[in-house]
Amino acid sequence: MNNRNYHILFANELDINAAKAFSLNFPRIPLLNCDVANISEEYLVEKNIDYTNVDLVIGGPPCQSFSTVGKRQYDARAKMYKEYRRILSFIKPKVFLFENVTGLLTIKNNIGQPVLDDIKNEFSDFSDFNIDLSYEIKESVLNAKHFGVPQNRERVFLVGIRKDLNVSSKWKFPSPIYQREEQFLTLEDAIGDLPTLLNGESKQNYEIETYTRYQQLMRGDCDDLTNHYNGINGEKMLRIMEVVIPGEGKKYINELVVNGELDSKYYLTSGYNNTYGKLWWDKPSSTITNNLSTPSSFRCIHPIQNRALTSREGARIQSFPDSFHFVGSKESVNMQIGNAVPPLLAIAIAKQLESFFKSITR
């Protein structure tokens, strides 16, 4: 892909549906649908990709092992950052950007040491590859709601700047656009114009006009509504979603049972304490996950409709425009949505990177 500011050499994605979706939305960018472990200098040469003199590499190794939602373990996925590091060892970009969940800040390795320290140390020095390559590492936690995304979503960002360039002092992470509670976009701001859905219902057309600037931005010129369908839930789940109140979840339901306000058949024995949670209409959404349409999962129950979020609502909350096409089953689509860096946050970082590169080439 080319514009007056940049040229993207290639992207890499292992999941077939995510790869198809990427190519569908960005057809001019070469997409390597393969395991990152298979990407080597020889492989790039075979694909006629010139990887010399690269300015920037962006990557986000799998985050599930670090996530504070569910189990946390230092497993094979947690070590995938080493493959990213291997890619850096032969591309040798001027700058790299690394993104992951905030759980990375606290998880320990197999000998009880902070994994983040390992990562920063390894990404600083590449002498074990017998090459002269080292990076100055800058670290920050950014929250998507500070950048116009209607979601309370914190992520860790590491920026590595090649030490031989002597320009690391010029790097600054983007400053928040919105900082006060009353400035943050709410769930209603994001999805209030999307059609209501009954149990098992799907709709392909908008029914009302947009009434916030964010809704206008997301809908754009779209005429057809996609990925807006509600799953079929049984009587027990419907009743649970009906009685739980915004901001509450499993614990609240069980308290109703214990207090005799709800039949004992609704007592919840499975799931974490933060499951079966209902969102707030007048606040930013909680962090969107791969299970955004599963009401028994982390907080994803619609605040005024008796259902979980739809894939399109999840995409809206992540700041994907309605024109963005996803590929695959609902589960696959939700994974593509839940794993993504919100586009509006990505744009804020991209603008900062653009300014940085302009400052070091003057």
Side-chain angles (χ1 to χ4, degrees), residues 198-244:
L198 299 176
N199 196 31
E201 189 175 17
S202 174
K203 291 185 178 178
Q204 292 78 43
N205 298 298
Y206 301 100
E207 296 178 347
I208 66 171
E209 295 299 318
T210 58
Y211 59 90
T212 69
R213 290 180 61 188
Y214 185 85
Q215 293 167 9
Q216 294 168 2
L217 176 65
M218 293 296 103
R219 192 185 297 192
D221 297 327
C222 277
D223 296 319
D224 299 320
L225 178 62
T226 61
N227 302 112
H228 192 55
Y229 39 81
N230 180 25
I232 299 175
N233 292 288
E235 183 276 334
K236 179 177 180 179
M237 184 61 72
L238 288 172
R239 180 61 175 153
I240 288 171
M241 290 191 292
E242 179 184 16
V243 299
V244 70

Side-chain angles (χ1 to χ4, degrees), residues 70-189:
K71 297 179 179 179
R72 307 183 72 206
Q73 48 194 349
Y74 189 60
D75 55 12
R77 289 183 303 176
K79 300 173 186 176
M80 284 299 292
Y81 72 85
K82 294 180 181 292
E83 289 296 336
Y84 182 23
R85 181 173 181 263
R86 183 184 59 82
I87 297 293
L88 295 176
S89 74
F90 60 82
I91 293 183
K92 302 176 184 177
K94 295 181 178 70
V95 177
F96 71 81
L97 176 67
F98 176 105
E99 176 268 347
N100 218 291
V101 296
T102 53
L104 181 62
L105 299 174
T106 55
I107 194 169
K108 310 288 186 181
N109 61 22
N110 293 331
I111 59 173
Q113 299 298 316
V115 171
L116 182 59
D117 288 350
D118 286 346
I119 292 175
K120 290 195 291 187
N121 289 335
E122 290 190 42
F123 278 64
S124 298
D125 180 23
F126 286 72
S127 58
D128 53 315
F129 285 93
N130 295 317
I131 57 175
D132 184 15
L133 180 65
S134 58
Y135 289 89
E136 185 75 29
I137 308 298
K138 306 286 188 175
E139 173 191 343
S140 185
V141 175
L142 301 179
N143 194 321
K145 70 180 182 181
H146 293 146
F147 298 90
V149 179
Q151 181 185 177
N152 186 22
R153 186 187 187 94
E154 288 188 322
R155 288 295 183 266
V156 176
F157 290 89
L158 303 181
V159 169
I161 303 167
R162 234 172 50 202
K163 288 183 179 179
D164 64 296
L165 300 175
N166 294 315
V167 293
S168 61
S169 62
K170 294 189 176 184
W171 169 255
K172 298 290 186 294
F173 281 96
S175 299
I177 300 171
Y178 306 114
Q179 300 190 56
R180 299 192 307 275
E181 198 71 32
E182 64 270 19
Q183 294 178 315
F184 300 145
L185 294 179
T186 68
L187 186 64
E188 182 182 7
D189 290 333

Side-chain angles (χ1 to χ4, degrees), residues 21 24-25 194-195 197 201-206 224-231 292-293 307-316 320-334 336-337:
L24 185 63
N25 290 279
L194 295 177
L197 295 173
E201 189 175 17
S202 174
K203 291 185 178 178
Q204 292 78 43
N205 298 298
Y206 301 100
D224 299 320
L225 178 62
T226 61
N227 302 112
H228 192 55
Y229 39 81
N230 180 25
L292 66 96
S293 297
R307 60 175 177 82
L309 296 172
T310 69
S311 300
R312 181 50 60 189
E313 288 169 335
R316 277 276 189 99
F320 281 99
D322 291 3
S323 58
F324 195 94
H325 298 288
F326 298 97
V327 174
S329 66
K330 182 170 74 171
E331 291 72 24
S332 179
V333 168
N334 286 350
Q336 294 163 44
I337 294 168

Side-chain angles (χ1 to χ4, degrees), residues 252-270:
Y252 177 83
I253 294 295
N254 286 345
E255 287 178 350
L256 292 181
V257 173
V258 171
N259 294 335
E261 300 174 57
L262 195 62
D263 192 278
S264 60
K265 68 179 181 180
Y266 298 109
Y267 191 86
L268 300 170
T269 58
S270 62

